[in-house]
Amino acid sequence: MSATLRAPLCKGAGMHRSLALAFLLLLLSGASAARAAGGLTVTGSVQQIDVTGAAPGARLALHSSTGATLATRRATSLGAVVFRGLRTGPGYRVTPGGGGAVTVLPDRPAPPSTKGYDQRIPKSGYGYLRTRDGTKLAIDVRLPSGKGPFPTLVEYSGYGYARPSGAQSGISPIATLLGFAVVDVNMRGTGCSGGAFDYFDPLQSLDGYDAVETVARQPWVLHHKVGMMGISYGGISQLFVGATNPPSLAAIAPLSVIDNTATTLYPGGFLNTGFALNWGRERVHDAMPASATGGQPWALERIKDGDRTCQANQALHSQAVDLIAKIRRNKYYVPSVADPLSPVTFVHKIHEPVFLACQWEDEQTGGHCATLASRLTGTKRKWITFTNGTHIDSLDPATFNRWLDFLSLYVARRVPRVPGAIAKALAPTIFAVAMGVKGVQLPPDPIQEKPTYASALAAFQKLPPVRILFDNGGVEKGKPYPAFEQSWPRFPLPRTRARSWWLAGGGLLSDYYPRTHGGADAFTWRQSARPPTDFTGDTSGGTNGLWTDTPSYRWTENSAGTAVSYVTRPLRGPVAVIGAGALRAWVKTSVPSADLQVTVSEVRPDGREVFVQNGWLRTSARKLDPAKSTFLEPVPSLTRADAAPMPRGRFARVVVPLYYEGHVYRRGSRLRIVVTAPSGDQPVWSFGETTPTRSARITIARSAPHASRLVLPVVGHVRVPHAERFPPCPGLRGEPCRRYVPIVNGKG
């Protein structure tokens, strides 16, 4: 709750009473605000001060408690200013016309007071929730059928989650069908929520903390504990909020998330101008004040219908951080900027039970979520599912069952059950809408067959923490069923060894270190060798968005002379590769820097080739310390200190880290890598700003003293039923298939 004070009109006792009242309200609300007689409102927030009600274009100055001028800003056309990056403490003033002093709140989870959490939000439908600084977040309460109190979940993102007609790209309809109440919350600075948007700034995490604590205190919430759930943006947000450990948070269940902003935005050190940059542009658009040209359309509709709160909340939207400029300024990994935005650096702080599900070939967030598994050290109650597949496959039937089991046991505290009507009739409809696949049914689930809550919880807690679903889509062509699964106690998996295949003459990946000298292969680096994917879809829904069967893959072969390829001899038995791996190569370039892409695939005996994974590297970042990049977990980011031009006329050692895979290469198949310029293998990732901008000569050494090798994490004792059978091709989700066309490597 935000305290509103008028500037004192007299001195002496009246001023002392005003200061005493201000101090009391600060303790009760956790925020301070001053409103001048002219209508200017100055609010102290977390590490910032928000100003509204100024004259458009007015120049405002911020002063410290000593009277020193800290900054000046001009008000936007909506009369708003945000002063950011401030130190915690009292006594800040804004002139002219700012009224009394305000306090900047600390960046810590626990608020100055919990009184604000006693506010009442709607029992059902649309409304607003006040955070510690008085900002009003738009929410929509969606209840299941029946009589409360209800087990309750919070779904939180910058999409149109609070949209009264239904959450944009949210999964609340599924949860309410299963008996959960869901409070959909729009992040500050989006939709009808107040505040100014910045990508996962500390305020967004603390807003999530406040939302959890406020919702948990509502009389219709079962146990007065809530969980969090969501996919993609709504999954990533849980990692940020979970790290603040709200006392009333029962559990989190993030699906299809990132481990690090850089691994999606700057894979290998260069910009993903497809999905990632477009997603950023959409966030900029959605954070604009609601109008015919910007903001979220549903907010404009509410304003037209008379929602004065939504209208007032638009003022600070005009102070949103320019996300695209921020992206451009940080092409290198700057720890002070990037660490707070990278879950891999803080998920160890999460103490609540966690259910996490990700896909190796996630075409949107990228196949890098697996790094989180070894970093979730703050809780022993964690269960992680990995599978091949697309962004939406974290809702595949097998994962869906375990997701439901987890939320039922740790949030609802009841035996998990899928109502019969949903299992028999609605499940096919849900999967047809969510995944675009017809005829999908939920498989039997042993946890749901337990007679009591205690027995179900005990059985669930005995499940190994890491579960891998193999050959998703390989049972019935393209349908989201795994062919088999296996579980382990941890990730990276036990009994994993680094296996090397050496680049050899004739395009061979050899099991043996090459003893010859001077061998090398070369290709012409050409940015337009395969055009980048034309990505024009809405990343939050619709075409190429969250809800899709499979993306539109255009996995074509490289044109002659624009790539080099290496392939093993036929494998003598199945080889299970689970982890990241890398190409450790000696490379010579005709330019100071060239961006490389490595593609790993399986060439089957029937002449078909199955995509498995990619890896990327900007060669001018070759100073990347190879000791930090293991065959299990690649180095996720490149700092400015890593960058240096390639040496002219000689080879330099580079490590191209591969993204994660979980694939079983069948007996008789051959493992293949292709090295080329980026683009062409991903459906919605593309790279329109790679270097060089012209053609270049790239040479890869393949013999002593510069022997290059592919290193992959091979896991023993993976039980592969019917190992002689090959999945349909195409068929595996997230792994397109094409006719194999050999490449004849050019000599260096």
Side-chain angles (χ1 to χ4, degrees):
M1 182 182 297
S2 177
T4 301
L5 305 177
R6 293 190 179 276
L9 301 179
C10 61
K11 298 181 180 180
M15 178 177 290
H16 288 301
R17 283 194 296 272
S18 294
L19 291 174
L21 177 61
F23 183 69
L24 175 62
L25 288 174
L26 173 62
L27 290 178
L28 291 176
S29 68
S32 63
R35 177 176 293 167
L40 193 70
T41 300
V42 181
T43 303
S45 185
V46 176
Q47 298 181 331
Q48 68 183 45
I49 288 176
D50 301 335
V51 182
T52 56
R59 182 177 289 277
L60 302 177
L62 175 68
H63 307 282
S64 69
S65 58
T66 64
T69 300
L70 302 177
T72 59
R73 300 280 189 276
R74 286 197 179 275
T76 66
S77 61
L78 296 181
V81 170
V82 175
F83 294 96
R84 293 183 169 88
L86 304 178
R87 292 182 178 180
T88 300
Y92 287 93
R93 293 178 182 271
V94 173
T95 61
V102 297
T103 296
V104 172
L105 301 179
D107 174 19
R108 65 177 181 226
S113 171
T114 61
K115 293 289 186 181
Y117 300 147
D118 293 332
Q119 64 185 288
R120 287 290 173 257
I121 62 175
K123 294 181 180 179
S124 179
Y126 186 84
Y128 292 91
L129 179 152
R130 292 188 307 276
T131 66
R132 66 187 63 192
D133 67 351
T135 298
K136 294 180 179 179
L137 302 182
I139 65 171
D140 200 278
V141 180
R142 312 180 198 274
L143 299 183
S145 59
K147 189 176 181 180
F150 305 102
T152 302
L153 302 167
V154 171
E155 190 177 38
Y156 178 54
S157 89
Y159 295 150
Y161 271 12
R163 184 176 62 180
S165 62
Q168 176 194 14
S169 288
I171 56 176
S172 52
I174 297 174
T176 55
L177 282 172
L178 297 170
F180 291 88
V182 179
V183 181
D184 274 314
V185 184
N186 253 77
M187 286 178 172
R188 72 169 51 221
T190 68
C192 282
S193 291
F197 181 82
D198 187 8
Y199 176 77
F200 284 120
D201 71 337
L203 262 172
Q204 286 186 2
S205 298
L206 299 181
D207 286 347
Y209 181 110
D210 294 346
V212 165
E213 292 304 303
T214 298
V215 172
R217 283 165 170 74
Q218 304 308 305
W220 41 268
V221 174
L222 185 65
H223 308 307
H224 295 291
K225 288 270 192 175
V226 301
M228 294 189 77
M229 64 113 193
I231 183 171
S232 192
Y233 200 174
I236 299 166
S237 66
Q238 295 175 62
L239 302 174
F240 285 82
V241 177
T244 68
N245 295 293
S248 301
L249 182 59
I252 64 173
L255 309 176
S256 300
V257 301
I258 63 171
D259 71 323
N260 184 327
T261 301
T263 55
T264 301
L265 188 61
Y266 279 100
F270 46 90
L271 183 62
N272 176 357
T273 56
F275 172 83
L277 189 60
N278 278 277
W279 191 88
R281 287 171 176 153
E282 287 172 9
R283 304 291 67 76
V284 170
H285 174 274
D286 281 6
M288 294 171 64
S291 69
T293 58
Q296 297 182 355
W298 69 274
L300 184 59
E301 292 174 7
R302 287 205 58 88
I303 293 170
K304 290 179 178 179
D305 289 340
D307 188 334
R308 298 292 181 85
T309 300
C310 182
Q311 184 175 16
N313 281 346
Q314 302 305 307
L316 282 171
H317 287 210
S318 60
Q319 283 287 280
V321 170
D322 187 339
L323 183 56
I324 301 305
K326 192 174 183 179
I327 289 171
R328 296 290 186 184
R329 286 196 305 269
N330 292 280
K331 66 178 182 178
Y332 294 107
Y333 194 96
V334 180
S336 62
V337 176
D339 281 357
L341 306 180
S342 300
V344 71
T345 67
F346 56 73
V347 293
H348 64 280
K349 299 178 182 179
I350 298 173
H351 302 319
E352 300 82 17
V354 177
F355 176 80
L356 174 68
C358 294
Q359 298 68 247
W360 310 116
E361 295 86 14
D362 190 315
E363 80 285 359
Q364 296 187 26
T365 56
H368 228 277
C369 161
T371 312
L372 297 175
S374 64
R375 308 302 201 275
L376 283 165
T377 56
T379 178
K380 294 182 178 179
R381 296 169 295 173
K382 54 190 173 186
W383 292 270
I384 306 167
T385 296
F386 297 121
T387 181
N388 65 286
T390 62
H391 192 59
I392 198 64
D393 277 287
S394 57
L395 287 174
D396 69 42
T399 309
F400 179 93
N401 269 339
R402 189 157 294 187
W403 173 79
L404 172 61
D405 295 346
F406 175 82
L407 291 176
S408 297
L409 294 169
Y410 285 98
V411 179
R413 302 183 199 170
R414 67 189 181 197
V415 178
R417 294 279 190 267
V418 179
I422 293 178
K424 294 180 181 179
L426 294 182
T429 302
I430 291 172
F431 287 107
V433 173
M435 306 183 78
V437 182
K438 296 180 180 180
V440 176
Q441 297 285 351
L442 291 175
D445 184 272
I447 305 298
Q448 296 170 17
E449 297 172 358
K450 298 297 180 182
T452 65
Y453 171 70
S455 61
L457 180 63
F460 189 87
Q461 290 178 337
K462 289 180 181 178
L463 295 173
V466 178
R467 178 196 198 193
I468 297 180
L469 308 178
F470 293 93
D471 291 351
N472 178 21
V475 176
E476 296 182 53
K477 184 178 179 180
K479 287 190 176 182
Y481 300 120
F484 63 101
E485 66 175 78
Q486 194 165 329
S487 297
W488 284 269
R490 62 182 181 274
F491 190 93
L493 304 180
R495 307 191 72 174
T496 302
R497 64 183 181 90
R499 181 171 175 180
S500 294
W501 286 271
W502 299 89
L503 277 58
L508 177 66
L509 279 176
S510 173
D511 289 317
Y512 305 103
Y513 180 87
R515 298 297 179 184
T516 57
H517 287 256
D521 295 311
F523 67 96
T524 300
W525 192 102
R526 193 160 62 240
Q527 190 178 51
S528 59
R530 285 188 298 170
T533 302
D534 178 20
F535 182 79
T536 56
D538 176 4
T539 62
S540 58
T543 304
N544 279 334
L546 180 61
W547 312 119
T548 182
D549 178 0
T550 56
S552 300
Y553 291 101
R554 294 189 300 168
W555 193 40
T556 59
E557 190 58 79
N558 298 88
S559 57
T562 63
V564 291
S565 169
Y566 301 88
V567 63
T568 67
R569 293 185 173 90
L571 301 173
R572 297 181 179 180
V575 175
V577 177
I578 305 172
L583 174 65
R584 298 175 177 271
W586 289 88
V587 176
K588 180 171 62 177
T589 64
S590 63
V591 290
S593 180
D595 297 336
L596 299 180
Q597 175 176 287
V598 176
T599 303
V600 183
S601 62
E602 178 183 8
V603 179
R604 303 181 356 167
D606 61 3
R608 307 292 290 174
E609 182 181 8
V610 179
F611 171 87
V612 177
Q613 194 49 277
N614 282 134
W616 298 270
L617 182 73
R618 174 157 285 178
T619 58
S620 59
R622 78 188 192 289
K623 291 183 71 175
L624 178 69
D625 184 359
K628 296 179 182 178
S629 177
T630 71
F631 65 95
L632 294 172
E633 296 184 357
V635 172
S637 53
L638 304 171
T639 67
R640 186 177 295 275
D642 294 320
M646 292 288 284
R648 180 176 297 182
R650 57 188 176 89
F651 287 101
R653 189 169 186 263
V654 300
V655 179
V656 185
L658 301 172
Y659 279 38
Y660 289 87
E661 64 174 277
H663 188 83
V664 176
Y665 298 82
R666 298 303 204 274
R667 182 172 66 87
S669 285
R670 293 180 290 163
L671 195 150
R672 185 193 195 199
I673 63 167
V674 176
V675 185
T676 185
S679 285
D681 290 351
Q682 295 287 331
V684 296
W685 282 25
S686 59
F687 308 99
E689 299 180 7
T690 48
T691 59
T693 56
R694 54 182 177 81
S695 296
R697 186 73 168 171
I698 310 296
T699 305
I700 300 178
R702 51 170 171 75
S703 58
H706 297 140
S708 301
R709 59 181 171 139
L710 172 70
V711 185
L712 293 178
V714 175
V715 181
H717 296 281
V718 173
R719 299 181 296 274
V720 185
H722 308 294
E724 73 283 356
R725 297 181 186 175
F726 285 85
C729 183
L732 295 180
R733 294 183 62 80
E735 300 186 59
C737 181
R738 67 186 179 189
R739 184 173 62 88
Y740 170 56
V741 178
I743 292 177
V744 177
N745 293 340
K747 300 299 181 182

